[in-house]
Amino acid sequence: MPVFECTVEDVTFRNEENGWAVIRVKLDDKKDRFAAVGVMPLIASGEHVRLTGEWDEHRDFGRQLKVSLCESVAPTTRSGIEKYLASGLVKGVGPSTAKLLVQQFGVDTLRVLTDEPERLTEVDGIGPKRARQIAESFHEQLETRTTMMFLQKYDISPALAVKIYKRYGEATQQVMQSNPYRLVDEIVGVGFRTADRIALSMGFPAESEMRL
C-alpha cells in the first residue's frame, strides 16, 4: 500500500465513538492536497501524519484515500505546533493561548508541555491552576496516542484499538502485556482466534496456558 507523509489541514468530520474521521491533508513539500477517510482517533489540525491506504473513487466526494494506518508525528515547526495546539485537542488551549505559548517557547513548546509544565506560568494569563489543567490534558492526549501506536504495532486495526483503549484506558499496555486473551471475555466482537493472533504477535508462546 502507498504511504504518504503529510500535514492535516482540516478535520472535516469526526465520530467520537469509533474514531472514524474525514480529513483534508497536504503532502509534505508539495502543493498536492486530498481527502482521507478512516479510523483516525484523536487526529487534529496541524498534525504531521504518515498515512497508509488505498485510493478510492467516491461517487459523491471524488478521489480520496481510504486509510488503513495513521501514524502521528508531532509537529516540529512553530506554525505547525501553533495550529496543532489551537485545534482544541488540549483542554484550556484555544487559538489565542496557542499563539502565546508558541511566542514564549517556540519550537520547544511541546517539550515544555511534556517535561517542564511548571514553566507554563511564564505565559501571561496562565496561573498555576490553569497550567496544571493544560499539562494534565496534554499528558492524557499523549498517553492515548502512545497507547494507540502500541496497539497498532501488533497489527491491531484502528477500530479494534479504539475499543480496547475505551475498555482499559491507561492500563491498556499492562493488560495486553500480561494477558491479551482477556479480550475474548471483555471486548465485544473479539473471538479466540483474534486474541490468539494478537498474543502470538506479541511474543506469547504457542504452548502458553492462557490459550487453554
Side-chain angles (χ1 to χ4, degrees):
M1 288 186 182
V3 178
F4 302 90
E5 300 272 348
C6 45
T7 300
V8 180
E9 293 196 321
D10 186 41
V11 179
T12 308
F13 173 82
R14 183 193 348 251
N15 184 320
E16 299 293 350
E17 290 299 314
N18 58 22
W20 196 86
V22 180
I23 63 176
R24 189 77 181 171
V25 300
K26 175 181 177 295
L27 287 177
D28 290 356
D29 302 323
K30 294 184 180 180
K31 295 182 179 180
D32 297 353
R33 291 174 170 81
F34 57 87
V37 301
V39 178
M40 297 175 279
L42 301 176
I43 198 76
S45 299
E47 277 195 85
H48 178 213
V49 292
R50 187 177 299 112
L51 302 178
T52 302
E54 295 181 338
W55 290 109
D56 178 62
E57 192 68 32
H58 192 280
R59 182 180 62 183
D60 298 322
F61 303 111
R63 191 170 184 248
Q64 55 189 18
L65 186 72
K66 293 183 68 174
V67 176
S68 59
L69 177 63
C70 174
E71 301 173 89
S72 176
V73 181
T76 56
T77 65
R78 292 173 65 100
S79 60
I81 293 170
E82 182 178 333
K83 189 171 184 180
Y84 170 68
L85 293 175
S87 67
L89 195 67
V90 179
K91 294 178 182 177
V93 178
S96 59
T97 302
K99 181 182 288 294
L100 289 173
L101 286 169
V102 174
Q103 285 177 347
Q104 181 69 29
F105 303 116
V107 294
D108 284 334
T109 300
L110 299 184
R111 184 191 61 76
V112 170
L113 281 164
T114 303
D115 301 326
E116 301 177 280
E118 66 280 359
R119 290 188 60 196
L120 297 180
T121 56
E122 296 175 17
V123 177
D124 289 341
I126 298 182
K129 182 178 179 180
R130 189 180 176 198
R132 285 194 300 272
Q133 292 174 334
I134 291 173
E136 287 172 2
S137 177
F138 181 76
H139 173 76
E140 181 182 337
Q141 296 299 325
L142 190 63
E143 177 69 26
T144 302
R145 290 167 182 273
T146 300
T147 302
M148 295 298 290
M149 291 305 301
F150 164 79
L151 293 172
Q152 291 184 36
K153 281 196 306 182
Y154 299 106
D155 199 27
I156 298 173
S157 71
L160 178 54
V162 170
K163 286 185 178 181
I164 293 172
Y165 186 77
K166 281 183 175 290
R167 175 66 177 82
Y168 302 119
E170 291 188 2
T172 297
Q173 292 193 42
Q174 179 183 349
V175 169
M176 297 298 290
Q177 289 171 335
S178 60
N179 183 7
Y181 292 97
R182 287 177 56 177
L183 300 180
V184 178
D185 296 322
E186 299 174 355
I187 303 293
V188 176
V190 176
F192 174 80
R193 293 181 65 179
T194 298
D196 193 45
R197 174 182 59 76
I198 294 170
L200 293 175
S201 72
M202 293 181 70
F204 282 79
E207 63 275 14
S208 171
E209 293 182 358
M210 296 179 192
R211 302 184 75 203
L212 303 178

